[in-house]
Amino acid sequence: MSALIIITIGTVLELYLLDHYEDTLQLIPILCIGLVMLTVILLIFLKSKLIKVAFKVILLITALSGIYGGYLHLLANYEFEIEMRPTANNWELLSESLSGALPALAPFSMIVLALIGYSYLIIINQKQ
């Protein structure tokens, strides 16, 4: 559970320091992490089936938000690269987009967060 708490606090802190709350879409990971933290607190005190199912759903949404965030980051970098280098081929644009201004792979940390959450849920189920 400590790994889950550390990654949630660390990710929210990083998003806050990067001003990742200026747009509505930028709030998605912050809201997902908030819901994960809330359900973890509920799971500490109540390990009901309803809360476990809600936790699974929230973790799934969190993982999907990571995939969507990766897509948005990559798309924004790709569009920027097209403007900067209109004659470049698609492969060059894609490779430059992966290392662009927006970290294209950073949103996948939401998938890692979800996997750690699922691991925590497996541990809870084994103890019961």
Side-chain angles (χ1 to χ4, degrees), residues 54-73:
F55 190 51
K56 285 180 186 179
V57 170
I58 291 168
L59 291 174
L60 176 64
I61 293 168
T62 300
L64 292 174
S65 77
I67 294 168
Y68 184 60
Y71 167 75
L72 290 176
H73 281 214

Side-chain angles (χ1 to χ4, degrees), residues 25-39:
L25 289 177
Q26 290 180 328
L27 292 175
I28 292 172
I30 295 170
L31 293 174
C32 286
I33 292 170
L35 289 172
V36 167
M37 292 172 93
L38 178 65
T39 52

Side-chain angles (χ1 to χ4, degrees), residues 37-110:
M37 292 172 93
L38 178 65
T39 52
V40 165
I41 291 168
L42 289 173
L43 277 171
I44 290 171
F45 298 107
L46 281 168
K47 293 176 178 56
S48 71
K49 185 174 182 179
L50 178 65
I51 295 174
K52 289 178 186 178
V53 170
F55 190 51
K56 285 180 186 179
V57 170
I58 291 168
L59 291 174
L60 176 64
I61 293 168
T62 300
L64 292 174
S65 77
I67 294 168
Y68 184 60
Y71 167 75
L72 290 176
H73 281 214
L74 190 60
L75 181 64
N77 286 345
Y78 190 81
E79 289 172 353
F80 177 78
E81 291 299 328
I82 287 174
E83 287 181 23
M84 296 300 292
R85 300 172 22 174
T87 59
N89 64 37
N90 284 336
W91 177 251
E92 291 172 341
L93 292 172
L94 179 64
S95 64
E96 288 297 320
S97 297
L98 286 171
S99 61
L102 296 176
L105 302 179
F108 293 127
S109 66
M110 298 297 285

